[in-house]
Amino acid sequence: MKVCSGWRRFLLLLPVIFLFPHIISVLELHRDSTVEHPHHRQTNKFDHLVFGPAAGEGLHDRLQCQGTKALNKTHFSSSPRNSKFGDGISFVTVFTTYNSTVDSLVKSRSSEQVSVGNMSYNKVERSMAVLNAFINFIEVTMPQSNVLILTDPASTLPVHRNRVTLYPIQGEYSRDKLMLQRIRSYIVFLEQKLEEQSQLPGRISHYIFTDSDVAVIDDLGQIFNDYPLFDIALTFRNNKDQPLNSGFIAVRGSRDGIQRATIFLQEVLQVYSSKYIKASRMLGDQLALAWVVKSQANFNLKRFTKQQPFEEKIGGALVLFLPCATYNWTPPEGAGQFHGMPLDVKVVHFKGSRKRLMLESWNFLNSSPSSHIPDMLCLILKSGRTKYDF
């Protein structure tokens, strides 16, 4: 019986004996991967621009570059300082900061500091730097326009600029609800402007609602001149699930335009709150916009596949659809620069981790009197190929 029990123990241990070398190998592999993983994560982001060849080389309708020198785009629709469209236009953006107390500014850990050029920023400071770059680009391209910043009344923003006004609006500005609050703030703002217009009839100002991480690089006032009938304008792309981007919305400043745009956005808000509330941190507004548009009877979704502006009646509003390629162009990340930069681009949207690229672009444009926007666009086109530290 003892012999049998000994053999039984041996047979039970036999699989462990054979598997032991494999277990050791797996443990070593796991150990190596944990050693390499932090290094791998560090190389995912860079604290400097990473340049590559400019996409779109040889295509007649794309920007051509030699280094950071633009070869085929030397001027825009109008001279910025002599703009005939920009007067009577206000840019509106929703902006707030988090952890913006004095203590947090002073006590920021060194690991949270990032440098762009000769400036170093913590999280709050870099957000303010992006906001200031947003204003700077508008001052260059549309100097007669105003900038209105819709913000939490409890937020103290150190913004003291000509033609820039803080516009406090009560609401929920937490990170998880900011996109939802943005639509609400737009509606409250338009309702207040409608009330002001009834007190000051005949005074018209058009409104362009944008994210604060965009660079306006050409006069956008021509939209209201070239398309005199629309109430609200949206930007579209060839994306089945998210064809509309909420980072650019234009509203005609006439009484009818403001009323119809407000009703349109109220429907978007209702759909957002009822169908996409779980996506309130991001994307919910874009999904709601798409739902409202797609629910329109006989709307032709194939029009989103062509990079041409078009108008369509959605509910009671005449909606102008503008291609993102021109009015909301985003520098692709990674190797996917696709077909380069269209020659008629007017707005560059530095989404996500592209914020560093926005600041680097402004620094480049502001570096010397000889720096021009087309050359800056070459800087953008040749970079943006990796994730930065923003």
Side-chain angles (χ1 to χ4, degrees), residues 26-65:
V26 170
L27 291 173
E28 289 178 348
L29 180 61
H30 177 70
R31 181 197 64 193
D32 292 341
S33 66
T34 56
V35 171
E36 293 176 2
H37 184 60
H39 175 71
H40 176 68
R41 285 196 300 177
Q42 289 175 359
T43 58
N44 276 347
K45 292 189 177 183
F46 288 80
D47 60 358
H48 58 278
L49 296 184
V50 179
F51 294 103
E57 184 175 352
L59 299 178
H60 72 279
D61 59 345
R62 293 295 186 265
L63 180 66
Q64 303 299 306
C65 303

Side-chain angles (χ1 to χ4, degrees), residues 66-332:
Q66 187 173 53
T68 54
K69 182 65 177 177
L71 301 178
N72 62 337
K73 188 174 184 180
T74 57
H75 63 277
F76 287 85
S77 61
S78 62
S79 174
R81 296 297 173 185
N82 298 304
S83 170
K84 61 181 178 180
F85 300 122
D87 193 19
I89 292 179
S90 294
F91 285 87
V92 186
T93 190
V94 172
F95 185 89
T96 190
T97 58
Y98 303 95
N99 301 323
S100 56
T101 63
V102 174
D103 287 343
S104 69
L105 291 173
V106 174
K107 297 179 181 179
S108 287
R109 297 173 299 181
S110 59
S111 61
E112 293 179 344
Q113 297 283 326
V114 295
S115 296
V116 179
N118 59 0
M119 296 294 294
S120 182
Y121 306 99
N122 61 32
K123 288 184 178 180
V124 175
E125 292 166 340
R126 74 185 76 166
S127 295
M128 291 304 304
V130 168
L131 178 64
N132 279 301
F134 165 73
I135 298 169
N136 292 340
F137 278 111
I138 293 172
E139 285 184 344
V140 168
T141 55
M142 297 182 66
Q144 302 305 314
S145 60
N146 299 304
V147 177
L148 307 177
I149 303 173
L150 312 185
T151 189
D152 184 352
S155 178
T156 303
L157 300 179
V159 179
H160 308 285
R161 306 280 296 270
N162 290 332
R163 307 186 76 93
V164 178
T165 304
L166 296 180
Y167 209 101
I169 292 179
Q170 290 288 349
E172 175 56 76
Y173 288 85
S174 66
R175 292 183 189 275
D176 289 342
K177 298 293 176 62
L178 186 59
M179 293 298 98
L180 191 64
Q181 178 59 41
R182 181 170 67 172
I183 298 294
R184 288 173 175 158
S185 294
Y186 289 174
I187 293 170
V188 171
F189 173 82
L190 289 173
E191 289 173 339
Q192 292 178 359
K193 290 303 173 183
L194 195 62
E195 177 63 25
E196 291 175 11
Q197 196 177 88
S198 66
Q199 298 173 6
L200 296 170
R203 184 179 177 181
I204 292 180
S205 177
H206 303 306
Y207 302 104
I208 299 178
F209 298 83
T210 75
D211 291 349
S212 59
D213 55 358
V214 307
V216 177
I217 58 173
D218 198 6
D219 193 336
L220 297 175
Q222 52 82 27
I223 297 172
F224 301 94
N225 186 68
D226 294 348
Y227 304 95
L229 300 179
F230 80 90
D231 300 307
I232 185 170
L234 307 172
T235 55
F236 71 90
R237 58 203 171 193
N238 187 16
N239 184 311
K240 182 179 179 181
D241 297 321
Q242 298 172 39
L244 300 171
N245 183 271
S246 58
F248 182 102
I249 299 174
V251 173
R252 184 171 299 282
S254 66
R255 185 169 183 81
D256 287 344
I258 295 176
Q259 283 182 325
R260 291 166 184 160
T262 302
I263 293 171
F264 178 89
L265 291 176
Q266 286 172 337
E267 184 176 0
V268 172
L269 178 62
Q270 191 276 327
V271 171
Y272 195 166
S273 301
S274 61
K275 294 181 177 294
Y276 302 109
I277 194 62
K278 291 184 178 179
S280 60
R281 182 167 185 139
M282 61 186 303
L283 299 182
D285 51 346
Q286 301 186 76
L287 295 171
L289 275 171
W291 192 94
V292 170
V293 170
K294 290 179 179 181
S295 64
Q296 182 69 27
N298 302 320
F299 185 83
N300 186 3
L301 293 174
K302 290 184 178 179
R303 302 189 78 171
F304 288 149
T305 65
K306 300 178 181 179
Q307 299 299 315
Q308 297 294 329
F310 65 96
E311 292 176 316
E312 189 82 23
K313 202 70 176 285
I314 306 293
L318 182 61
V319 181
L320 171 64
F321 293 90
L322 298 168
C324 283
T326 299
Y327 295 93
N328 204 341
W329 188 83
T330 299

